[in-house]
Amino acid sequence: PMCRYLHISKAHCNIQLSATLGSAMKPPKRITTSAVLLACSWAALAGRPAGITAFACKDGQVLHLLAFDNGPARQAWGHFGGKSEPYETPQATATREFFEESNCFYNLAKSGSSLSAASKAPGSSFLTFSAKVPYVPAEDIAVTRDCVHVERSQWVWVTHSELQAALDSQDQSPVLATADGPVDSVRLWSESINALRQARKDGLLPDSAQCNV
């Protein structure tokens, strides 16, 4: 509740009483040290965009899930993620965005699936987490359901070797063959490829051993 009364500056962690509160709500007269520390902790986390690179196991091999982002500046494929909501941790942002952008199919918060450690994209505040999910055909993800803020329109699975080859290439928007989905090949968005390259460097991407257990 204390955070409702505070505006936090990330740069200096300044605390100011809200001037936007209605007359029915009065700010507290005293702000304790613990409240200041709590508010500063939220400030450090707030506003961090985050997402998930999701993988599944099928017939002993690793498959990666990608989605088409039809944003005007993108029009390409990539992993999942977006901006945070107020007082949302990066893990919560990544989980929510993945749920929304998988057409409300993968609900990691409900299933209790764990996330990896975070990888920070170079030159960006975007955080990427990795998560293992059950494999389902891409057409099942695309089935119309009651879902808001989908933001993605198509989904495909690509093999681990195909993604690795794309990450190894010098192309900033490489083309990958798909293993399952409505199209035979996809072109990765440059920001997604940069984040995925960093995620691999940080050890977040899986290997085939994770499908042999």
Side-chain angles (χ1 to χ4, degrees), residues 50-104:
I52 286 176
T53 175
F55 71 95
C57 296
K58 183 177 185 291
D59 300 328
Q61 70 170 335
V62 174
L63 296 178
H64 298 269
L65 184 63
L66 301 174
F68 182 70
D69 190 332
N70 59 5
R74 295 179 285 275
Q75 294 291 308
W77 296 73
H79 61 308
F80 304 83
K83 297 179 180 179
S84 68
E85 294 185 349
Y87 311 120
E88 196 173 48
T89 67
Q91 292 87 344
T93 297
T95 299
R96 175 184 52 76
E97 287 284 341
F98 183 44
F99 176 63
E100 295 172 353
E101 295 182 354
S102 67
N103 198 24
C104 296

Side-chain angles (χ1 to χ4, degrees), residues 80-181:
F80 304 83
K83 297 179 180 179
S84 68
E85 294 185 349
Y87 311 120
E88 196 173 48
T89 67
Q91 292 87 344
T93 297
T95 299
R96 175 184 52 76
E97 287 284 341
F98 183 44
F99 176 63
E100 295 172 353
E101 295 182 354
S102 67
N103 198 24
C104 296
F105 187 86
Y106 288 111
N107 190 341
L108 302 186
K110 185 176 181 179
S111 66
S113 300
S114 60
L115 301 183
S116 68
S119 171
K120 182 179 177 297
S124 168
S125 60
F126 188 88
L127 299 177
T128 296
F129 298 86
S130 175
K132 184 178 181 180
V133 299
Y135 170 79
V136 298
E139 63 181 4
D140 289 356
I141 299 175
V143 169
T144 301
R145 54 180 60 87
D146 186 14
C147 184
V148 296
H149 307 304
V150 178
E151 299 177 0
R152 304 295 175 99
S153 57
Q154 298 180 81
W155 297 264
V156 298
W157 293 97
V158 300
T159 64
H160 186 63
S161 60
E162 191 72 13
L163 181 61
Q164 292 281 41
L167 299 181
D168 288 336
S169 75
Q170 299 300 311
D171 194 340
Q172 279 300 99
S173 189
V175 175
L176 294 76
T178 64
D180 172 49

